[in-house]
Structure formats: C-alpha cells, structure tokens
Amino acid sequence: MTAEAVAFPNSEGRRLFGIFHPAGAGRKNTCIVLLSPGIKNRVAPHRLYVKLSRHLSGLGYDVFRFDPEGLGDSEGECDFEWVADLYGAIQTGCFRDDTLAALDWLEANKGVDRFIVGGLCGGAITGLFAGRDDPRVTGLLSF
C-alpha cells in the first residue's frame, strides 16, 4: 500500500505534517505512532522510521510518523539556542500536545482508536507523556 502525506492542525492551529502508512493484509485495529527522537524529523536517523514503518505496515499495522511543531516540514519555530535545551524540553513533555493532536486526527480521519506510541530516544519519552494522559494509548514502543 502507498504511504500518504497528510497535514493536520495542532492545538495552536499550526499545520503539522506527517506520513500515514496504511496496514497491509491482516489489518489490526491499532496504529503505531512513531515520535520524533529529538532534532531529527519524521524520517529519524538513517531513515530508521521509514524502514520500520514499511515493515510494520506489512505486518498489518497502520503506522504514522510526523514532525512536531518547529521541526521538519511542520509550521512553527524551534526556538532553542542549544540542542541540549531542546532535549531538556522533550524530557518535560514539550511534544506531548502535538502527539495528542496526531491521535485525535488519526481517530477522526482514519478510524483508529487504539495506539502504540513511542520511538527512538526522545520519541520514547514523548510517548510516556502521551500515554500517561490518553487512554487510547495501549502500548509504548521504546528503543
């Protein structure tokens, strides 16, 4: 199945951009949302999220990866003077609201209401914040 480029608003009305990989055969009723590891966009280092998304969709999962506000193609500014400041903000949940906006968009537009969230490094941390606050999150992916 072909991946689909999408745009959706966050809670501040800024457009966030992502890629939706529909499930292949044997579709499961769960979407895996891969979250930004930090300064990298929705592709992740060495295109890890692209490769992982293709593999997981082949196993029957819908997969979504997106750029939070200020990163990659999404609107907004990443106003941190130092990379360490961005990572400190991630450790306190700065991408949580964008993640919840993504879950809302996926539920409204793709009919999915169960999610596994997480990813590499900062993505796993963001997944913890989102999972703590949203009962639709049924699992955490951390690597």
Side-chain angles (χ1 to χ4, degrees):
M1 307 238 4
T2 305
E4 173 189 0
V6 302
F8 62 98
N10 69 3
S11 61
E12 302 296 321
R14 292 188 183 87
R15 286 185 347 148
L16 307 182
F17 289 89
I19 304 292
F20 180 78
H21 298 261
R27 184 177 187 270
K28 297 166 178 45
N29 185 33
T30 302
C31 181
I32 298 174
V33 181
L34 298 174
L35 302 169
S36 174
I39 60 172
K40 297 289 185 180
N41 65 8
R42 65 186 176 270
V43 174
H46 306 285
R47 299 181 49 81
L48 175 66
Y49 283 4
V50 176
K51 298 168 191 173
L52 186 58
S53 295
R54 290 175 180 160
H55 179 73
L56 292 169
S57 68
L59 295 176
Y61 292 96
D62 291 323
V63 183
F64 188 61
R65 52 194 175 85
F66 73 98
D67 294 331
E69 183 177 332
L71 294 180
D73 293 320
S74 291
E75 292 181 344
E77 297 295 323
C78 191
D79 291 331
F80 298 99
E81 184 175 355
W82 303 99
V83 172
D85 295 334
L86 170 62
Y87 283 105
I90 290 170
Q91 291 176 3
T92 60
C94 73
F95 293 147
R96 174 196 159 276
D97 290 347
D98 287 351
T99 301
L100 297 180
L103 303 187
D104 291 341
W105 184 88
L106 288 161
E107 183 173 19
N109 293 278
K110 299 298 180 183
V112 183
D113 63 359
R114 293 173 40 105
F115 302 96
I116 297 171
V117 298
L120 179 67
C121 195
I125 294 169
T126 299
L128 286 170
F129 282 103
R132 175 194 68 189
D133 298 331
D134 196 312
R136 298 172 295 180
V137 175
T138 61
L140 177 67
L141 179 64
S142 174
F143 53 95

